[in-house]
Amino acid sequence: MSVQDKFENKAEELKGRAKETAGAALGDDDLKNEGKADQASSAIHKGVEKVKDKANEIAEKLVGDDNK
């Protein structure tokens, strides 16, 4: 996972937390649910990036890294 991807995922997660908190404080269920959705989206992206990283690790082991 690139640093930029990590940053973007964390920003999305924090935005979601802020929306959820604001929605709860204001009694706005739509905003609260939107915040939860943002957090879920961030978690999905994070999971996808972890799978990509693991696949790359496995591919490197199978093919070998001639640059080392």
Side-chain angles (χ1 to χ4, degrees):
M1 179 184 285
S2 74
V3 173
Q4 182 175 353
D5 289 336
K6 287 180 182 180
F7 178 78
E8 289 172 359
N9 285 337
K10 187 52 111 172
E12 185 175 23
E13 177 188 346
L14 293 174
K15 178 180 74 171
R17 286 185 188 183
K19 285 181 180 180
E20 183 180 6
T21 301
L26 298 171
D28 185 340
D29 287 337
D30 289 337
L31 184 60
K32 185 176 175 181
N33 290 332
E34 187 177 330
K36 287 180 180 182
D38 287 346
Q39 290 175 74
S41 175
S42 172
I44 290 168
H45 288 129
K46 187 176 183 179
V48 168
E49 290 299 325
K50 283 185 178 184
V51 169
K52 284 183 190 177
D53 288 346
K54 191 53 84 174
N56 286 334
E57 283 179 31
I58 292 169
E60 285 177 10
K61 286 181 182 178
L62 291 174
V63 175
D65 190 358
D66 295 335
N67 296 328
K68 289 185 179 181

